[in-house]
Amino acid sequence: MDNKTNVNTPEGTNVAGIKTKLTFDDQVVKKIAGIAVSEIPGILGLSGNAITNLTDKFTSGNNPTKGISAEVGTKQVAIDLDVIGEYGKNIAQVFDAATKKVADEVKNMTGLSVIEFNMNVDDVMSKEQYEEKFENKKKDDSSEEQHKDNPTRVLE
């Protein structure tokens, strides 16, 4: 589903008299939000629904937009994301930090204002549990890729 929004602009005529229009694909805003959130202490990672998890099985699994949806308008953006919180952290403070960081990054990079930011905490885990669950998955996936790239022949 390609959600190109062709109305989010500064639209007009520039100094040289050229008609201009700047647009951002929804994926761009989702990626900005995903990278910004990944830098927030207390958020271990993004989580997605069954469709995103299924997609990860067919891709490298390194999708910074997993678990994020964005509605991009002409001057404003609404963002929803699903995260895995770190056990023992104050999630309300983490939410406040994430809201500010995402709003600042989207505004700085696109000029669009975040008018709605919703964060759903799907799970809480310790860092160790998260690394065990997801880092082992990445190692298993990369070893499968190596076997695909370097097929070995077994001779009898």
Side-chain angles (χ1 to χ4, degrees):
M1 184 163 95
D2 188 14
N3 291 339
K4 278 205 175 169
T5 305
N6 293 320
V7 291
N8 48 350
T9 76
E11 185 175 356
T13 307
N14 72 4
V15 179
I18 300 170
K19 185 176 178 182
T20 61
K21 184 176 188 177
L22 177 63
T23 62
F24 295 95
D25 192 275
D26 290 0
Q27 285 295 108
V28 171
V29 173
K30 288 165 55 173
K31 196 170 196 177
I32 292 168
I35 292 169
V37 163
S38 72
E39 299 172 353
I40 303 293
I43 295 178
L44 295 175
L46 294 166
S47 56
N49 57 27
I51 294 170
T52 3
N53 292 334
L54 182 64
T55 304
D56 280 352
K57 292 182 181 183
F58 297 106
T59 63
S60 67
N62 189 13
N63 180 0
T65 63
K66 171 185 170 182
I68 303 174
S69 65
E71 292 180 39
V72 182
T74 57
K75 296 179 183 176
Q76 300 172 328
V77 178
I79 298 172
D80 296 329
L81 61 133
D82 297 320
V83 301
I84 299 170
E86 184 177 350
Y87 181 80
K89 298 289 183 177
N90 182 323
I91 301 296
Q93 289 176 351
V94 170
F95 174 71
D96 291 341
T99 302
K100 180 172 180 8
K101 177 77 172 176
V102 170
D104 289 349
E105 291 298 319
V106 169
K107 183 70 169 180
N108 289 338
M109 295 183 72
T110 66
L112 302 171
S113 298
V114 176
I115 58 155
E116 186 176 328
F117 182 81
N118 301 305
M119 186 172 89
N120 176 50
V121 181
D122 279 351
D123 200 354
V124 291
M125 298 179 180
S126 67
K127 281 186 179 181
E128 294 79 20
Q129 290 171 322
Y130 181 80
E131 288 170 1
E132 183 178 310
K133 183 173 182 176
F134 293 101
E135 295 303 319
N136 287 341
K137 180 182 180 247
K138 287 180 186 176
K139 287 177 188 173
D140 291 344
D141 290 347
S142 67
S143 66
E144 284 178 24
E145 288 298 318
Q146 288 174 352
H147 289 311
K148 287 178 188 174
D149 294 340
N150 299 320
T152 57
R153 233 180 258 164
V154 178
L155 302 174
E156 294 180 21

